[in-house]
Amino acid sequence: MEKQKIILDCDPGHDDAVAILLAAGSPQLDLLGITVIAGNQSLEKTVRNACRVVQWIGADVPVYAGCDRPMVRPQIIAKDIHGESGLDGPVFPPLAKSPEEEHAVPWLIRTLLESDGDITVVTTGPMTNLAMALRLQPKIADKIRRIVLMGGAYANGNVTPAAEFNIIADAEAAHVCFTAGRPVTMVGLDVTRKVLCTPEIVRRMAASGTCASRLFVDLMRHFCRTQKEVFGWPGGPLHDPVTIASLLDPALLTVRPMNVQIELRSTQSYGRTNCDYFGYLGLPATADVAIDIDVGRFWDIIEEGLRRYPSAG
Ligand code: BDR
Ligand code: CA
């Protein structure tokens, strides 16, 4: 079986951390590198968190620090959900893993240019790194096999009524990526809100007893608590791993091709992903938008992913 080559661009973040666990441990995926962006916390913290997760699972994956702020708009972070460290909850051992010297953007450009056009770029944070790479070297667009992003919503946002965090955090960058002319799969809140990590799910994953499941449990205890405090929900929506799970099982998501445009000019609706669900505009579809998810299958994929790791001992 040929492995799918992927780059994971993320802002860990509790759900990003689970996406790393799933991607790094999968025999179906070749995780070429993790590029990191400021988002859930400052760049310094999200890079440290990516290194902490990679070290925890003993993965041999390079981590590249990327942009420390959005292209145009003022920076926002998600401290209320992810805590002061960006990954509150687990007690991590002293950090030995460090990021590579090279900045994420030139690394993305080099890696994509040298590729056979067979790399899927998965983004689970603000899309600044990929957008900057596309602006610096437009030739990489033809080399991207596909962009799979967690972000947006055709219904309700989670930062404003209109906008989801990863898009509103850098809507100009999202616009650059959505208009790059490559196949885009948008995994938005419409589906990720259906995979609520409840205390029952946490108990189920704990039973695996691996080093990855131990990290999952420590992460999710914090994540579920803050999601309950902030949004009043019985569990945390495990947004980001849906992207990786959809690569592992293409039948996981039901998608609908839609014309998607990022709102950049409005005050109230800045960062909204305007998805033409019913095709009113008569414009070509620009993205496959996820509209449903097989929730049971998703948790099976998470459990299989966690079980692949060695026992916590
Ligand atoms: C997205 O925002 C971040 O806080 C999460 O990590 C996820 O990528 C959900 O809106
Ligand atoms: Ca994220």
Side-chain angles (χ1 to χ4, degrees):
M1 178 187 61
E2 205 178 323
K3 292 183 170 195
Q4 293 184 63
K5 291 183 188 166
I6 70 162
I7 293 170
L8 177 57
D9 187 70
C10 57
D11 62 336
H14 293 69
D15 51 338
D16 302 83
V18 179
I20 295 174
L21 296 180
L22 203 56
S26 170
Q28 289 169 253
L29 300 178
D30 183 2
L31 178 58
L32 302 177
I34 296 172
T35 52
V36 184
I37 182 73
N40 285 320
Q41 259 294 357
S42 65
L43 182 70
E44 191 194 344
K45 292 180 181 178
T46 54
V47 169
R48 187 167 65 218
N49 292 340
C51 291
R52 282 170 158 171
V53 175
V54 169
Q55 177 177 309
W56 184 291
I57 54 179
D60 184 18
V61 181
V63 172
Y64 298 86
C67 300
D68 71 348
R69 67 194 72 183
M71 296 174 92
V72 177
R73 62 149 293 149
Q75 186 161 37
I76 54 169
I77 57 167
K79 192 167 94 178
D80 51 346
I81 300 291
H82 301 273
E84 198 53 59
S85 71
L87 215 48
D88 280 10
V91 178
F92 290 98
L95 193 55
K97 168 96 180 167
S98 46
E100 305 299 308
E101 292 273 308
E102 191 174 8
H103 189 281
V105 172
W107 180 77
L108 271 166
I109 292 172
R110 193 166 54 78
T111 306
L112 287 162
L113 282 182
E114 287 171 5
S115 77
D116 295 328
D118 54 352
I119 300 174
T120 296
V121 180
V122 180
T123 68
T124 62
M127 302 180 85
T128 323
N129 285 337
L130 184 56
M132 290 293 285
L134 282 160
R135 281 296 189 251
L136 268 168
Q137 181 44 279
K139 284 188 190 143
I140 64 167
D142 289 343
K143 292 287 199 166
I144 299 172
R145 181 177 171 206
R146 205 175 143 209
I147 299 169
V148 179
L149 71 127
M150 191 282 132
Y154 60 84
N156 303 302
N158 61 355
V159 176
T160 68
E164 180 277 335
F165 180 82
N166 289 338
I167 305 295
I168 198 172
D170 195 347
E172 282 75 16
H175 167 80
V176 170
C177 297
F178 271 78
T179 54
R182 299 312 298 156
V184 172
T185 302
M186 180 183 123
V187 180
L189 297 172
D190 315 290
V191 293
T192 64
R193 277 183 171 139
K194 294 185 182 179
V195 288
L196 284 188
C197 187
T198 59
E200 191 189 342
I201 294 280
V202 175
R203 278 194 294 278
R204 170 178 164 190
M205 300 306 162
S208 314
T210 65
C211 64
S213 73
R214 211 177 80 198
L215 181 56
F216 179 92
V217 169
D218 290 352
L219 288 167
M220 288 303 113
R221 285 207 177 112
H222 174 92
F223 191 59
C224 297
R225 197 183 59 247
T226 56
Q227 291 282 347
K228 192 167 183 187
E229 283 164 11
V230 176
F231 296 112
W233 290 353
L238 203 51
H239 309 285
D240 293 339
V242 176
T243 55
I244 303 294
S246 75
L247 299 181
L248 301 179
D249 182 352
L252 179 74
L253 296 175
T254 307
V255 300
R256 183 173 168 117
M258 299 184 204
N259 181 270
V260 180
Q261 297 186 37
I262 312 294
E263 179 55 64
L264 299 176
R265 291 183 204 95
S266 160
T267 312
Q268 286 191 2
S269 303
Y270 173 83
R272 175 167 175 77
T273 44
N274 279 313
C275 300
D276 192 4
Y277 193 103
F278 294 108
Y280 298 129
L281 302 175
L283 294 172
T286 53
D288 282 335
V289 178
I291 58 169
D292 207 359
I293 180 166
D294 181 339
V295 174
R297 179 75 187 114
F298 174 75
W299 292 119
D300 288 347
I301 292 172
I302 295 290
E303 186 174 7
E304 284 160 22
L306 297 177
R307 281 191 185 279
R308 279 211 182 87
Y309 285 91
S311 149

